[in-house]
Amino acid sequence: MYRRYLTALQRWTLGLDVWINRVYPSDLNPLYYTGGLTNLFLFVLVLSGIFIFFYYVPSLNGAHASVAYLTEQVPYGGLIRGIHRYSADAFIIAALLHLFRNWFTDRYLFARDSPWISGMFLLLFGGFVGVTGYILVWDERALVVFSELVRLMRSIPLVGERFAWVLQAGPGISDETMPRMLLLHVGPASALYVLLWWHYVRLRHPKVWPPATWVLTSLGIVTLLAAVVPAVSGTPAQPGVQPTTMWLDVFYLLPFWLAGYVPPFLIVAGIGLLFVAGFAIPYVNREDPHAMGIRHAGVAQVVDGNCTGCELCYYDCPYNAIVMVPSPYPGATRAAANRKLLAVVIDSRCVECGICIGACPFEALELPAFMESDLQRRVAEAVRA
Amino acid sequence: MSAAAAGAPRVVGFVCDWAVATAGLTDEAGRLHAHPSVVLIRVPCSGFIRPSWLEDALRAGADGVFVVGCPYGDCLNREGNYLMQERIEQLQRRLQRRKVEPERLTMLAHGLHDREAFLADVAGLLDALGRLRPPAPAAARPAAPARASAEEGGS
Ligand code: HEM
Ligand code: SF4
Ligand code: SF4
């Protein structure tokens, strides 16, 4: 059932590409660079965030005023604030597109689970950073979001009270609260880069930046948006006073909007379930590849005696599944007799693509299910007929 | 087979499992219904192809070879099609020195649903191969035939 849906979604995803590729040359298809776009927006967020940091005052009385000063008095301050706001939206949109695309195109299965799991952590941290970002403005909306967040935390059994304490830096809103919010904004945001190291560690040459055209287009759109629709604050937050009117951001604040209708514990449980399901995606329905209709090529094997230690396979493996080790003994062939290194495939990282076979000029690698001799035989049959 | 294939250039194509879907386009042996002189061999990734296999296929008597990967940027294995594109370019340069025309080696990129574009490319490829000089018998190939110099001038 799940498989059937996924197959349909894959068909739509790739069908959409056929259309996009009619408009753009295929190596400019933006959907091929969702990871790079996410990273680009994160980079813009860091730069604009550092700028804002120079003006931000983390105190109950100072926060709102400092943001207002930044917006109105500092040259280009309003623009940079807008860029920060809209890149945050773009970051989440791009990250979700990236998630769905990798999901629908089977890029999370078997040996590929490491970027998926780190990706779920990135999403979790990224989402949290967004929420604390809204609170830092400390206007009416921030207060609502903050109180709801505390309420959600409190609804968690056993540890909830403690979480609420950590969030407020005390039993209730106090002078310590805003510095704590700033910490909870900047800290997890920095942690994103640690997680990104994990995200990339199994990928050789990750495409961290989209093509230049898309870098410029994305920057242009965000800047234009920030100039045309400036980011604004609501009225300053006054604890104890009911907000008058308020606008909720759909991406970040949906759960808070729901909070008006659903008991808080259900919301926390819902979010928790969503992430548990996300983490489980690479492992549910994990039948053996045959049953899933995937042709099983088998993990690449090094033909020990032939390997010359030339490292070509090591440079080409897209998943960093090959390591070069000091050769324990000389190779069998003439070319391999004086080798210094020997290639070793790490089974758990190998996605069975065979790219290393194409890279090796010395016939020292093979895919068990696609032996060179079979291939040669089929070629011979083809040209003979 | 021979009647249809006799005049047409014999071509071997390696097709990535994730690239264009060819179910229904070929018979059991991988022979294209539309162009019976073309035989497709499915492989796990375009980057799996070792360039020497392409060279061997030409030497064994194929008039042309091609490799089909996914659209550039969308390789399931991230880089297979770019790597293969580079390898084919290198091989074309190397073989050109031995008077083998670059047109005999082609890299194509077509996604799962790009059937029509794929078939159109194959037809174009056969056209181009038909216009080349007939291949010398395998044994005689290293001794460069007379027309090769004219072709070099053009490139
Ligand atoms: C801060 C957010 C994120 C950034 C900046 C980011 C960036 C990237 C980049 C640059 C790549 C390399 C693409 C390539 O070269 O092929 C990548 C790969 C990947 N990402 Fe993310 N990503 C993020 C979040 C996520 C999320 C939320 C998920 C899903 C849960 C995810 C899943 C993956 C997977 C599965 C791959 C491997 C793709 C492959 O094997 O071809 N990422 N990411
Ligand atoms: S088949 Fe080769 S290139 Fe592909 S992941 Fe395994 S070791 Fe790396
Ligand atoms: S490309 Fe082949 S010979 Fe070179 S290190 Fe890898 S396995 Fe050994």
Side-chain angles (χ1 to χ4, degrees):
Chain A
M1 178 73 161
Y2 167 69
R3 266 274 128 200
R4 259 228 318 282
Y5 279 122
L6 223 51
T7 310
L9 286 166
Q10 183 185 67
R11 198 165 54 237
W12 291 340
T13 311
L14 295 181
L16 178 66
D17 285 346
V18 174
W19 285 96
I20 296 180
N21 289 347
R22 282 192 196 148
V23 183
Y24 300 104
S26 93
D27 44 3
L28 287 186
N29 183 335
L31 292 183
Y32 294 169
Y33 300 95
T34 48
L37 284 167
T38 316
N39 185 55
L40 170 71
F41 289 123
L42 184 58
F43 185 66
V44 174
L45 281 169
V46 169
L47 291 189
S48 51
I50 290 174
F51 183 90
I52 295 171
F53 189 78
F54 281 111
Y55 296 95
Y56 185 72
V57 178
S59 73
L60 287 181
N61 294 324
H64 189 273
S66 70
V67 174
Y69 175 79
L70 168 78
T71 316
E72 285 148 24
Q73 309 288 322
V74 178
Y76 300 108
L79 188 69
I80 300 226
R81 181 182 173 203
I83 289 175
H84 197 72
R85 168 84 59 95
Y86 294 123
S87 317
D89 287 335
F91 169 80
I92 290 289
I93 297 172
L96 289 177
L97 276 177
H98 180 62
L99 179 153
F100 286 120
R101 191 177 170 89
N102 281 320
W103 187 7
F104 298 161
T105 56
D106 284 359
R107 285 177 161 89
Y108 59 96
L109 285 167
F110 303 107
R112 291 184 179 83
D113 61 351
S114 157
W116 181 268
I117 298 300
S118 51
M120 287 312 293
F121 277 111
L122 281 163
L123 198 62
L124 194 65
F125 277 58
F128 183 73
V129 171
V131 173
T132 53
Y134 272 112
I135 296 172
L136 284 177
V137 182
W138 209 234
D139 55 3
E140 283 179 343
R141 170 172 55 187
L143 187 58
V144 172
V145 170
F146 184 73
S147 335
E148 285 303 329
L149 193 61
V150 172
R151 202 158 73 94
L152 292 184
M153 289 293 172
R154 284 220 166 97
S155 73
I156 304 173
L158 296 177
V159 289
E161 202 52 51
R162 209 61 220 162
F163 281 178
W165 198 93
V166 170
L167 213 59
Q168 297 168 310
I173 295 178
S174 72
D175 282 342
E176 310 299 327
T177 305
M178 291 321 280
R180 177 54 56 95
M181 271 307 118
L182 188 58
L183 181 72
L184 289 179
H185 187 64
V186 177
S190 313
L192 287 180
Y193 278 89
V194 180
L195 291 169
L196 277 180
W197 168 80
W198 176 11
H199 203 57
Y200 300 151
V201 72
R202 292 285 180 84
L203 305 177
R204 187 148 199 108
H205 315 305
K207 286 183 294 250
V208 176
W209 304 110
T213 6
W214 282 109
V215 173
L216 293 177
T217 309
S218 314
L219 293 181
I221 291 175
V222 167
T223 312
L224 204 67
L225 209 62
V228 175
V229 193
V232 289
S233 322
T235 9
Q238 285 173 292
V241 178
Q242 275 297 308
T244 41
T245 52
M246 199 181 61
W247 178 82
L248 278 183
D249 184 295
V250 277
F251 295 113
Y252 284 118
L253 305 180
L254 186 68
F256 299 99
W257 176 79
L258 275 178
Y261 306 91
V262 186
F265 178 70
L266 281 186
I267 295 180
V268 177
I271 296 174
L273 264 177
L274 221 55
F275 274 97
V276 169
F279 281 113
I281 280 174
Y283 311 104
V284 289
N285 256 33
R286 190 164 171 159
E287 308 152 33
D288 78 302
H290 282 299
M292 291 167 63
I294 296 175
R295 208 138 61 116
H296 194 35
V299 167
Q301 306 286 323
V302 178
V303 182
D304 204 326
N306 289 0
C307 176
T308 63
C310 71
E311 297 189 79
L312 289 174
C313 55
Y314 165 75
Y315 285 117
D316 277 2
C317 173
Y319 291 92
N320 288 336
I322 294 183
V323 291
M324 303 301 302
V325 299
S327 172
Y329 38 76
T333 62
R334 200 134 65 91
N338 288 321
R339 70 179 175 204
K340 299 275 185 303
L341 297 170
L342 172 68
V344 173
V345 176
I346 301 179
D347 288 8
S348 63
R349 298 186 186 179
C350 176
V351 306
E352 311 177 4
C353 62
I355 287 173
C356 51
I357 282 92
C360 177
F362 298 99
E363 313 198 342
L365 275 159
E366 57 193 24
L367 280 187
F370 287 86
M371 298 300 277
E372 180 172 1
S373 49
D374 294 340
L375 223 82
Q376 303 281 36
R377 184 176 45 74
R378 295 199 54 193
V379 170
E381 276 166 15
V383 292
R384 208 180 318 118
Chain B
M1 209 46 52
S2 40
R10 276 172 302 177
V11 174
V12 180
F14 296 95
V15 187
C16 159
D17 269 345
W18 290 87
V20 62
T22 55
L25 292 183
T26 65
D27 67 11
E28 227 133 84
R31 208 165 274 285
L32 268 182
H33 293 311
H35 307 283
S37 68
V38 179
V39 175
L40 303 185
I41 300 176
R42 305 229 47 143
V43 291
C45 177
S46 58
F48 167 62
I49 304 302
R50 195 175 275 161
S52 64
W53 298 344
L54 302 177
E55 209 180 332
D56 290 349
L58 290 178
R59 199 172 295 134
D63 295 306
V65 289
F66 64 84
V67 179
V68 188
C70 299
Y72 295 110
D74 196 33
C75 176
L76 175 79
N77 302 308
R78 304 188 50 248
E79 307 198 304
N81 50 6
Y82 282 115
L83 289 167
M84 201 59 220
Q85 187 188 33
E86 279 171 27
R87 291 177 196 158
I88 286 191
E89 277 168 13
Q90 288 171 8
L91 187 63
Q92 281 174 334
R93 263 178 273 144
R94 187 152 64 77
L95 291 186
Q96 208 167 10
R97 278 184 245 131
R98 287 197 242 142
K99 314 301 177 212
V100 177
E101 301 87 340
E103 288 86 342
R104 297 197 187 278
L105 301 142
T106 314
M107 179 74 195
L108 302 175
H110 292 293
L112 199 61
H113 304 295
D114 285 347
R115 246 163 205 253
E116 284 76 34
F118 165 67
L119 286 176
D121 270 2
V122 171
L125 210 122
L126 288 173
D127 264 4
L129 287 175
R131 271 183 261 116
L132 296 179
R133 79 190 144 83
R141 180 151 304 169
R147 271 198 53 195
S149 50
E151 238 131 51
E152 248 181 344
S155 61

